[in-house]
Amino acid sequence: MTPEPPNRGGAESEPDGALSDVLADRRAKLERLRAAGIEPFPPTFADAETVAAVRAAHADLSPGEETTAVHRVAGRISARRGQGKMAFFDLADRSGKLQLQARVNELGAERMAVLTGLDLGDLIGVEGTAFCSRSGELSLRVSDFQLNAKSLRPPPDKHHGLTDVETRYRRRELDLIANERAREIFITRARMIAAIRRYLDEHGFIEVETPILQPLYGGGMGRPFITHHNALGRDLYLRIATELYLKRLIVGGLERVYEIGKQFRNEGVDTTHNPEFTTIEYYEANADYLAVAARFEALVAHVAAAVGYTGPHDFSAPWRRETFAGAIAARTGIVLTDHPDRASLAAAMRGIGIEPKPTDSWPQLADELLSKRVEPTLIEPTLLLDYPLELSPLAKRHRSEPGLVERFEAYVDGMEIANAFSELNDPDDQRARFLEQERYKAEGDEEAQPHDEAFVVALEHGMPPTGGIGIGIDRLAMVFSGADSIREVVLFPAMRD
RNA sequence: GCCGCCGUAGCUCAGUCGGUAGAGCAGCGGACUUUUAAUCCGAAGCGCGUCGGUUCGAGCCCGACCGGCGGCACCA
């Protein structure tokens, strides 16, 4: 048999046995086709319609009804029934499946034998006449066909599909072939991103691209990946957020900017975290966090409509709103302002059965309370407003509440999907906040943000009042598709070797 | 990193009290002009994630490791 090519990227090594027999059979068939003068990998199949378009053109046919309409479609053979003088095939393209009927008196014995000799998984293009079968199935009676590409490996089971989770993630192409649900999720994700772009483009925002390889990371909490540039002879960080560069563009007068792109955080993997993930951040001059909240609500409602969302949530504005401190008080009875120091707050937490970590600072304890007792309860779309200053080194001090900042996070299904604030534009305050972060870092907080002096110098040139937000695209895709794991909405999620 | 569950044919799965591994689909040979998980006949295919241990004997028991899922920790 033909030697296997070198393995790469997750293809398992082949054992002897059934699979190698199957591979040998398919390769033998390939050679028979070539010997018969059939090119197994032709360059093109022009002018094909989608299956959905063919279906739309004949939506009202009744069982047994014939037409004279000729259609060309292209796709993968997903099922075959019968093999004698007449055979039926299911042809699948991205838009759906269509039945094909092949008859020897239509094609001739030789072409019929070629067609019925093809394998499940082979890619074909066909031309045929539309009709409706006795049982009401729209079908094409094949008058001509072309093998578009030979498949040399067996596809997943035509009935049970592919359910093994590991195989679905590692070999997403097989998941997409076998599972319509997988195709739907990624189409929904694409429509969602397109709708976000459309909305922002129509509201005066311009799309920009800022560095992924950065001399200094920043703009969020999180540990970075470190890489190395050979020619420059220095280490660089993969970005963890787009925030600081985008605000420099606001300083530069671009006024409304957004960026959609990957962020990278060197942290754990679970159902809501993948080490590389996609965000959209946008910044708007002369807006505060309340204006951002209103636009965010409008944006999500717009996206929900664009993807045809029919799930359990109502995304129409305004969303339910709570304050950070109010939400904690309502769930735990702990009033943060009654516990202004670490020891007092830690004692209060022990009183409700949470053992605080000895290394946590006051703001980290407050954050712990939030994530343990509040976040899981935020199922319906909710905005949580007005965070403690210490948790928010890039946000502007609250106009009326000392110790707080003008910030909100958006939650759905107990999951944070967005984080926004009135951006801090006082350069002296920003520098002081960075210095405070440096102190946390020196005390061992690995996620504290490094001091970015270039950013502060940019602020010294003057940044208008600005509202900004970062939205987790993957999590939003989970919400809109009903997926319960981020791996279901990331095409190739991170896996061990 | 810790805890629990899981890993049997290309795919989907069964495998009793430890006794030497099965089914459907796919594939192979054959029949079949309206099927819908097409049907029927025939032949074939896995030594059970890996390594080690207990045993006369291990897919079943024990240990380690690898991988997956879930939870905890961490984070968005």
Side-chain angles (χ1 to χ4, degrees), chain A residues 384-432:
Chain A
L384 208 56
L385 296 104
D386 300 342
Y387 280 60
L389 177 78
E390 296 88 339
L391 284 173
S392 316
L394 302 169
K396 196 169 205 163
R397 288 170 196 272
H398 198 282
R399 63 194 75 182
S400 59
E401 301 287 339
L404 300 184
V405 292
E406 298 195 346
R407 172 184 180 185
F408 73 84
E409 293 194 332
Y411 287 86
V412 181
D413 290 335
M415 187 167 65
E416 183 195 336
I417 60 166
N419 179 26
F421 15 96
S422 298
E423 304 296 338
L424 177 56
N425 63 343
D426 175 339
D428 294 334
D429 194 0
Q430 183 65 77
R431 188 175 283 114

Side-chain angles (χ1 to χ4, degrees), chain A residues 45-51 53-54 71-75 93 124-126 148:
Chain A
F45 180 79
D47 302 322
E49 296 171 76
T50 65
V51 163
V54 175
H71 297 279
R72 283 165 71 82
V73 295
D93 75 6
I124 60 171
V126 308
N148 281 343

Side-chain angles (χ1 to χ4, degrees), chain A residues 368-389:
Chain A
E368 170 90 351
L369 268 180
L370 184 80
S371 57
K372 280 278 196 306
R373 294 301 170 89
V374 177
E375 288 184 7
T377 71
L378 301 178
I379 305 302
E380 66 173 297
T382 301
L383 301 185
L384 208 56
L385 296 104
D386 300 342
Y387 280 60
L389 177 78

Side-chain angles (χ1 to χ4, degrees), chain A residues 90-111:
Chain A
D90 287 341
L91 180 85
D93 75 6
R94 196 179 79 191
S95 70
K97 284 186 183 179
L98 185 64
Q99 174 164 276
L100 309 177
Q101 183 199 56
R103 299 166 59 139
V104 71
N105 62 356
E106 192 87 25
L107 290 165
E110 192 179 323
R111 293 292 282 164

Side-chain angles (χ1 to χ4, degrees), chain A residues 208-465:
Chain A
V208 298
E209 293 178 274
T210 63
I212 291 173
L213 294 174
Q214 303 183 342
L216 190 63
Y217 66 96
M221 304 291 189
R223 282 193 283 171
F225 287 92
I226 302 172
T227 188
H228 185 77
H229 190 289
N230 291 337
L232 295 180
R234 63 162 302 169
D235 284 349
L236 293 169
Y237 300 100
L238 272 63
R239 71 181 176 196
I240 64 169
T242 45
E243 175 153 357
L244 300 185
Y245 282 102
L246 292 179
K247 282 195 267 196
R248 287 166 71 172
L249 302 180
I250 297 294
V251 171
L254 293 186
E255 296 178 351
R256 293 183 180 190
V257 297
Y258 72 94
E259 178 165 8
I260 296 173
K262 284 280 182 74
Q263 316 303 335
F264 307 86
R265 295 196 188 176
N266 207 339
E267 286 156 3
V269 174
D270 63 27
T271 51
T272 56
H273 299 264
N274 195 60
E276 56 181 292
F277 61 104
T278 303
T279 63
I280 165 142
E281 289 191 32
Y282 64 80
Y283 292 82
E284 178 173 358
N286 303 314
D288 64 5
Y289 75 136
L290 298 175
V292 173
R295 189 184 290 291
F296 170 73
E297 287 167 335
L299 172 62
V300 174
H302 165 79
V303 172
V307 302
Y309 176 76
T310 56
H313 298 300
D314 177 5
F315 290 108
S316 55
W319 292 15
R320 207 170 69 82
R321 298 187 184 204
E322 287 189 88
T323 64
F324 182 96
I328 289 176
R331 308 301 190 289
T332 67
I334 295 176
V335 177
L336 288 175
T337 48
D338 291 348
H339 305 281
D341 59 276
R342 191 202 172 279
S344 168
L345 182 56
M349 287 171 69
R350 280 188 209 97
I352 60 165
I354 298 178
E355 183 55 39
K357 279 191 303 193
T359 54
D360 276 356
S361 58
W362 186 93
Q364 285 173 312
L365 292 182
D367 204 29
E368 170 90 351
L369 268 180
L370 184 80
S371 57
K372 280 278 196 306
R373 294 301 170 89
V374 177
E375 288 184 7
T377 71
L378 301 178
I379 305 302
E380 66 173 297
T382 301
L383 301 185
L384 208 56
L385 296 104
D386 300 342
Y387 280 60
L389 177 78
E390 296 88 339
L391 284 173
S392 316
L394 302 169
K396 196 169 205 163
R397 288 170 196 272
H398 198 282
R399 63 194 75 182
S400 59
E401 301 287 339
L404 300 184
V405 292
E406 298 195 346
R407 172 184 180 185
F408 73 84
E409 293 194 332
Y411 287 86
V412 181
D413 290 335
M415 187 167 65
E416 183 195 336
I417 60 166
N419 179 26
F421 15 96
S422 298
E423 304 296 338
L424 177 56
N425 63 343
D426 175 339
D428 294 334
D429 194 0
Q430 183 65 77
R431 188 175 283 114
R433 305 271 196 99
F434 274 141
L435 291 174
E436 185 184 32
Q437 289 289 310
E438 293 282 282
R439 281 197 298 278
Y440 292 146
K441 202 172 197 61
E443 288 163 13
D445 183 352
E446 294 193 72
E447 278 151 12
Q449 305 193 30
H451 184 151
D452 188 335
E453 182 61 20
F455 172 66
V456 179
V457 169
L459 289 186
E460 286 179 335
H461 286 281
M463 185 172 84

